[in-house]
Amino acid sequence: MDPKLLTPEIIIQTEISYRNLKRVLDLGNQGQGQIIPLIDTGVNAQELPADALVSQVDLTADRDNRDHHNHGTLMARFILGLAPKAKILSYKVNG
């Protein structure tokens, strides 16, 4: 990430996210009933569990809902590793 993009607000939001992660995991529901928006490079649906992806929105000129960089797919896998019962709502904004 470009260091110029690390505004105080982003740093604070990231810090809050990390501090709250343990509390979220301690709930013990593994993300059950949660839809997590993922704003990234899209998600390759075939690489996720069949029921993990709620919807895909492609806001790029590509209009193909494919993750050509595999970053969004990696992030979705990371989220599902922490909260395997959560669902992903993918927004492709780059790639």
Side-chain angles (χ1 to χ4, degrees), residues 4-56:
K4 292 179 285 204
L5 297 177
L6 291 176
T7 64
E9 294 81 14
I10 290 175
I11 292 170
I12 289 168
Q13 290 172 3
T14 302
E15 178 62 25
I16 290 170
S17 296
Y18 282 116
R19 269 192 267 147
N20 289 335
L21 180 59
K22 180 161 177 19
R23 276 190 263 163
V24 170
L25 294 176
D26 285 345
L27 291 174
N29 69 357
Q30 299 182 330
Q32 181 77 35
Q34 301 299 310
I35 297 174
I36 301 173
L38 177 61
I39 303 168
D40 209 300
T41 58
V43 172
N44 292 325
Q46 70 276 10
E47 296 183 31
L48 299 179
D51 63 342
L53 193 60
V54 171
S55 185
Q56 294 178 281

Side-chain angles (χ1 to χ4, degrees), residues 55-76:
S55 185
Q56 294 178 281
V57 179
D58 189 339
L59 301 173
T60 69
D62 296 340
R63 301 284 187 224
D64 63 2
N65 286 321
R66 292 191 55 221
D67 183 4
H68 300 284
H69 301 283
N70 290 317
H71 188 270
T73 304
L74 177 65
M75 293 297 100

